[in-house]
Short mmCIF file of all heavy atoms in Angstrom, two decimals:
data_model
loop_
_atom_site.label_atom_id
_atom_site.label_comp_id
_atom_site.label_asym_id
_atom_site.label_seq_id
_atom_site.Cartn_x
_atom_site.Cartn_y
_atom_site.Cartn_z
N ALA A 968 -6.56 35.94 2.26
CA ALA A 968 -7.05 36.37 0.95
C ALA A 968 -6.59 37.79 0.62
O ALA A 968 -6.47 38.15 -0.55
CB ALA A 968 -8.57 36.28 0.91
N SER A 969 -6.29 38.57 1.64
CA SER A 969 -5.83 39.95 1.42
C SER A 969 -4.50 40.00 0.66
O SER A 969 -4.19 41.01 0.04
CB SER A 969 -5.72 40.69 2.75
OG SER A 969 -4.79 40.04 3.60
N VAL A 970 -3.73 38.92 0.68
CA VAL A 970 -2.47 38.89 -0.06
C VAL A 970 -2.75 39.02 -1.55
O VAL A 970 -2.04 39.74 -2.27
CB VAL A 970 -1.67 37.61 0.27
CG1 VAL A 970 -0.45 37.47 -0.63
CG2 VAL A 970 -1.25 37.59 1.73
N GLU A 971 -3.79 38.36 -2.02
CA GLU A 971 -4.17 38.47 -3.43
C GLU A 971 -4.47 39.93 -3.77
O GLU A 971 -4.02 40.45 -4.81
CB GLU A 971 -5.39 37.61 -3.74
CG GLU A 971 -5.86 37.72 -5.19
CD GLU A 971 -7.14 36.96 -5.46
OE1 GLU A 971 -7.88 36.64 -4.51
OE2 GLU A 971 -7.41 36.69 -6.63
N ALA A 972 -5.21 40.61 -2.92
CA ALA A 972 -5.56 42.01 -3.15
C ALA A 972 -4.32 42.89 -3.22
O ALA A 972 -4.25 43.81 -4.04
CB ALA A 972 -6.51 42.51 -2.06
N ILE A 973 -3.33 42.61 -2.40
CA ILE A 973 -2.08 43.39 -2.42
C ILE A 973 -1.39 43.25 -3.77
O ILE A 973 -0.93 44.24 -4.34
CB ILE A 973 -1.15 42.94 -1.26
CG1 ILE A 973 -1.77 43.33 0.08
CG2 ILE A 973 0.24 43.52 -1.42
CD1 ILE A 973 -1.08 42.71 1.28
N PHE A 974 -1.33 42.05 -4.29
CA PHE A 974 -0.71 41.83 -5.60
C PHE A 974 -1.49 42.57 -6.69
O PHE A 974 -0.89 43.25 -7.53
CB PHE A 974 -0.65 40.33 -5.91
CG PHE A 974 0.52 39.63 -5.30
CD1 PHE A 974 0.54 39.33 -3.94
CD2 PHE A 974 1.61 39.25 -6.06
CE1 PHE A 974 1.61 38.68 -3.36
CE2 PHE A 974 2.70 38.60 -5.50
CZ PHE A 974 2.70 38.31 -4.14
N ILE A 975 -2.81 42.44 -6.67
CA ILE A 975 -3.65 43.07 -7.69
C ILE A 975 -3.54 44.60 -7.62
O ILE A 975 -3.46 45.26 -8.65
CB ILE A 975 -5.09 42.57 -7.57
CG1 ILE A 975 -5.15 41.09 -7.96
CG2 ILE A 975 -6.04 43.40 -8.44
CD1 ILE A 975 -6.46 40.40 -7.69
N GLU A 976 -3.54 45.14 -6.41
CA GLU A 976 -3.41 46.60 -6.24
C GLU A 976 -2.12 47.13 -6.84
O GLU A 976 -2.04 48.29 -7.23
CB GLU A 976 -3.46 46.97 -4.76
CG GLU A 976 -4.83 46.86 -4.14
CD GLU A 976 -4.80 47.02 -2.62
OE1 GLU A 976 -3.71 47.28 -2.04
OE2 GLU A 976 -5.87 46.87 -2.01
N ARG A 977 -1.12 46.29 -6.94
CA ARG A 977 0.17 46.69 -7.49
C ARG A 977 0.28 46.36 -8.98
O ARG A 977 1.37 46.39 -9.56
CB ARG A 977 1.30 46.06 -6.71
CG ARG A 977 1.44 46.78 -5.37
CD ARG A 977 2.17 45.99 -4.34
NE ARG A 977 2.35 46.74 -3.11
CZ ARG A 977 1.39 47.00 -2.23
NH1 ARG A 977 0.17 46.58 -2.43
NH2 ARG A 977 1.64 47.67 -1.12
N GLY A 978 -0.85 46.01 -9.58
CA GLY A 978 -0.90 45.77 -11.02
C GLY A 978 -0.43 44.40 -11.46
O GLY A 978 -0.16 44.18 -12.64
N LEU A 979 -0.35 43.45 -10.52
CA LEU A 979 0.09 42.09 -10.84
C LEU A 979 -1.11 41.17 -10.98
O LEU A 979 -2.13 41.36 -10.33
CB LEU A 979 1.02 41.58 -9.75
CG LEU A 979 2.28 42.43 -9.52
CD1 LEU A 979 2.97 42.02 -8.24
CD2 LEU A 979 3.21 42.30 -10.71
N ARG A 980 -0.99 40.17 -11.83
CA ARG A 980 -2.04 39.16 -11.97
C ARG A 980 -1.91 38.16 -10.82
O ARG A 980 -0.82 37.64 -10.57
CB ARG A 980 -1.92 38.42 -13.30
CG ARG A 980 -2.30 39.25 -14.48
CD ARG A 980 -2.20 38.49 -15.81
NE ARG A 980 -2.72 37.14 -15.71
CZ ARG A 980 -2.13 36.08 -16.26
NH1 ARG A 980 -1.04 36.19 -16.95
NH2 ARG A 980 -2.67 34.89 -16.12
N ALA A 981 -3.01 37.90 -10.14
CA ALA A 981 -2.98 36.96 -9.02
C ALA A 981 -4.29 36.20 -8.94
O ALA A 981 -5.35 36.74 -9.26
CB ALA A 981 -2.72 37.70 -7.71
N GLU A 982 -4.19 34.95 -8.53
CA GLU A 982 -5.35 34.10 -8.26
C GLU A 982 -5.14 33.48 -6.89
O GLU A 982 -4.03 33.11 -6.54
CB GLU A 982 -5.49 32.98 -9.29
CG GLU A 982 -5.78 33.42 -10.69
CD GLU A 982 -5.90 32.23 -11.65
OE1 GLU A 982 -5.65 31.07 -11.25
OE2 GLU A 982 -6.24 32.48 -12.81
N CYS A 983 -6.22 33.32 -6.16
CA CYS A 983 -6.15 32.71 -4.84
C CYS A 983 -6.68 31.27 -4.93
O CYS A 983 -7.76 31.03 -5.46
CB CYS A 983 -6.99 33.54 -3.86
SG CYS A 983 -6.75 33.04 -2.16
N VAL A 984 -5.90 30.33 -4.43
CA VAL A 984 -6.30 28.92 -4.46
C VAL A 984 -7.68 28.72 -3.85
O VAL A 984 -8.49 27.97 -4.37
CB VAL A 984 -5.25 28.05 -3.72
CG1 VAL A 984 -5.76 26.64 -3.48
CG2 VAL A 984 -3.94 28.03 -4.50
N ALA A 985 -7.98 29.45 -2.78
CA ALA A 985 -9.27 29.30 -2.10
C ALA A 985 -10.45 29.72 -2.99
O ALA A 985 -11.58 29.29 -2.76
CB ALA A 985 -9.29 30.12 -0.81
N SER A 986 -10.18 30.53 -4.02
CA SER A 986 -11.24 31.00 -4.91
C SER A 986 -11.40 30.13 -6.15
O SER A 986 -12.29 30.37 -6.96
CB SER A 986 -10.93 32.43 -5.37
OG SER A 986 -10.84 33.29 -4.27
N ILE A 987 -10.55 29.12 -6.31
CA ILE A 987 -10.60 28.24 -7.48
C ILE A 987 -11.15 26.90 -7.04
O ILE A 987 -10.48 26.15 -6.32
CB ILE A 987 -9.19 28.08 -8.10
CG1 ILE A 987 -8.61 29.46 -8.45
CG2 ILE A 987 -9.24 27.19 -9.32
CD1 ILE A 987 -7.15 29.42 -8.83
N SER A 988 -12.37 26.59 -7.47
CA SER A 988 -13.06 25.39 -6.97
C SER A 988 -12.27 24.11 -7.20
O SER A 988 -12.30 23.21 -6.37
CB SER A 988 -14.46 25.28 -7.58
OG SER A 988 -14.37 25.18 -8.98
N GLU A 989 -11.55 24.01 -8.31
CA GLU A 989 -10.80 22.79 -8.60
C GLU A 989 -9.55 22.64 -7.73
O GLU A 989 -8.95 21.57 -7.70
CB GLU A 989 -10.42 22.72 -10.08
CG GLU A 989 -9.43 23.79 -10.51
CD GLU A 989 -9.19 23.81 -12.00
OE1 GLU A 989 -9.94 24.48 -12.70
OE2 GLU A 989 -8.24 23.13 -12.44
N LEU A 990 -9.17 23.71 -7.01
CA LEU A 990 -7.97 23.65 -6.16
C LEU A 990 -8.27 23.72 -4.67
O LEU A 990 -7.47 23.24 -3.87
CB LEU A 990 -7.02 24.81 -6.51
CG LEU A 990 -6.41 24.81 -7.90
CD1 LEU A 990 -5.50 26.01 -8.07
CD2 LEU A 990 -5.67 23.52 -8.17
N ARG A 991 -9.39 24.30 -4.30
CA ARG A 991 -9.71 24.51 -2.89
C ARG A 991 -9.66 23.19 -2.12
O ARG A 991 -10.32 22.22 -2.45
CB ARG A 991 -11.10 25.14 -2.77
CG ARG A 991 -11.42 25.66 -1.40
CD ARG A 991 -12.78 26.36 -1.31
NE ARG A 991 -13.12 27.12 -2.50
CZ ARG A 991 -14.14 26.82 -3.32
NH1 ARG A 991 -14.90 25.79 -3.07
NH2 ARG A 991 -14.38 27.56 -4.38
N GLY A 992 -8.81 23.14 -1.11
CA GLY A 992 -8.71 21.95 -0.26
C GLY A 992 -7.92 20.81 -0.87
O GLY A 992 -7.83 19.74 -0.28
N LYS A 993 -7.31 21.03 -2.02
CA LYS A 993 -6.58 19.96 -2.70
C LYS A 993 -5.14 19.87 -2.19
O LYS A 993 -4.64 20.73 -1.49
CB LYS A 993 -6.57 20.19 -4.22
CG LYS A 993 -7.94 20.22 -4.84
CD LYS A 993 -8.64 18.89 -4.71
CE LYS A 993 -9.94 18.95 -5.48
NZ LYS A 993 -10.89 17.97 -5.16
N SER A 994 -4.46 18.83 -2.61
CA SER A 994 -3.09 18.56 -2.17
C SER A 994 -2.11 19.55 -2.78
O SER A 994 -2.40 20.21 -3.79
CB SER A 994 -2.69 17.14 -2.60
OG SER A 994 -2.57 17.09 -4.02
N ASP A 995 -0.94 19.63 -2.16
CA ASP A 995 0.13 20.47 -2.69
C ASP A 995 0.50 20.03 -4.11
O ASP A 995 0.83 20.87 -4.95
CB ASP A 995 1.37 20.40 -1.80
CG ASP A 995 1.18 21.12 -0.47
OD1 ASP A 995 0.22 21.91 -0.34
OD2 ASP A 995 2.00 20.89 0.43
N GLU A 996 0.46 18.75 -4.36
CA GLU A 996 0.80 18.23 -5.69
C GLU A 996 -0.15 18.78 -6.76
O GLU A 996 0.27 19.17 -7.85
CB GLU A 996 0.79 16.69 -5.70
CG GLU A 996 1.93 16.07 -4.93
CD GLU A 996 1.72 16.05 -3.41
OE1 GLU A 996 0.62 16.33 -2.93
OE2 GLU A 996 2.70 15.75 -2.70
N THR A 997 -1.44 18.81 -6.44
CA THR A 997 -2.44 19.34 -7.37
C THR A 997 -2.22 20.83 -7.61
O THR A 997 -2.30 21.29 -8.76
CB THR A 997 -3.87 19.09 -6.82
OG1 THR A 997 -4.05 17.67 -6.65
CG2 THR A 997 -4.92 19.63 -7.77
N ILE A 998 -1.93 21.56 -6.57
CA ILE A 998 -1.67 22.99 -6.70
C ILE A 998 -0.41 23.22 -7.52
O ILE A 998 -0.38 24.09 -8.41
CB ILE A 998 -1.56 23.64 -5.30
CG1 ILE A 998 -2.92 23.60 -4.62
CG2 ILE A 998 -1.02 25.07 -5.39
CD1 ILE A 998 -2.89 23.90 -3.15
N PHE A 999 0.61 22.43 -7.30
CA PHE A 999 1.85 22.55 -8.05
C PHE A 999 1.60 22.28 -9.53
O PHE A 999 2.07 23.04 -10.39
CB PHE A 999 2.91 21.59 -7.50
CG PHE A 999 4.27 21.78 -8.08
CD1 PHE A 999 5.15 22.70 -7.52
CD2 PHE A 999 4.69 21.04 -9.17
CE1 PHE A 999 6.42 22.87 -8.04
CE2 PHE A 999 5.95 21.22 -9.72
CZ PHE A 999 6.82 22.13 -9.15
N GLU A 1000 0.87 21.22 -9.84
CA GLU A 1000 0.55 20.88 -11.24
C GLU A 1000 -0.21 22.02 -11.92
O GLU A 1000 0.06 22.34 -13.08
CB GLU A 1000 -0.25 19.58 -11.31
CG GLU A 1000 0.54 18.36 -10.96
CD GLU A 1000 -0.32 17.11 -10.82
OE1 GLU A 1000 -1.48 17.11 -11.27
OE2 GLU A 1000 0.18 16.13 -10.24
N TYR A 1001 -1.15 22.62 -11.22
CA TYR A 1001 -1.91 23.75 -11.75
C TYR A 1001 -0.97 24.91 -12.04
O TYR A 1001 -1.07 25.55 -13.10
CB TYR A 1001 -3.00 24.16 -10.75
CG TYR A 1001 -3.85 25.31 -11.19
CD1 TYR A 1001 -5.01 25.10 -11.91
CD2 TYR A 1001 -3.52 26.63 -10.84
CE1 TYR A 1001 -5.82 26.17 -12.31
CE2 TYR A 1001 -4.31 27.69 -11.23
CZ TYR A 1001 -5.46 27.46 -11.95
OH TYR A 1001 -6.25 28.52 -12.34
N ALA A 1002 -0.06 25.20 -11.13
CA ALA A 1002 0.89 26.31 -11.31
C ALA A 1002 1.79 26.05 -12.52
O ALA A 1002 2.06 26.97 -13.30
CB ALA A 1002 1.72 26.51 -10.05
N VAL A 1003 2.22 24.83 -12.69
CA VAL A 1003 3.05 24.49 -13.85
C VAL A 1003 2.26 24.71 -15.13
O VAL A 1003 2.73 25.34 -16.08
CB VAL A 1003 3.58 23.04 -13.75
CG1 VAL A 1003 4.22 22.60 -15.06
CG2 VAL A 1003 4.56 22.91 -12.59
N LYS A 1004 1.02 24.21 -15.15
CA LYS A 1004 0.17 24.33 -16.34
C LYS A 1004 -0.11 25.80 -16.68
O LYS A 1004 -0.08 26.18 -17.85
CB LYS A 1004 -1.14 23.58 -16.11
CG LYS A 1004 -2.09 23.59 -17.29
CD LYS A 1004 -3.29 22.68 -17.07
CE LYS A 1004 -4.15 23.22 -15.95
NZ LYS A 1004 -5.41 22.50 -15.78
N LYS A 1005 -0.34 26.63 -15.68
CA LYS A 1005 -0.67 28.04 -15.88
C LYS A 1005 0.58 28.93 -15.94
O LYS A 1005 0.46 30.14 -16.09
CB LYS A 1005 -1.58 28.54 -14.76
CG LYS A 1005 -2.94 27.91 -14.73
CD LYS A 1005 -3.78 28.47 -15.84
CE LYS A 1005 -5.20 27.97 -15.69
NZ LYS A 1005 -6.13 28.68 -16.54
#
Side-chain angles (χ1 to χ4, degrees):
S969 60
V970 172
E971 178 185 20
I973 292 168
F974 277 75
I975 292 171
E976 287 171 3
R977 285 160 177 74
L979 301 168
R980 288 181 42 222
E982 295 180 354
C983 190
V984 168
S986 301
I987 304 169
S988 61
E989 66 186 88
L990 295 181
R991 192 177 323 114
K993 300 295 185 198
S994 68
D995 289 344
E996 289 79 11
T997 301
I998 293 166
F999 188 87
E1000 290 171 16
Y1001 180 90
V1003 169
K1004 182 173 66 173
K1005 294 285 188 168

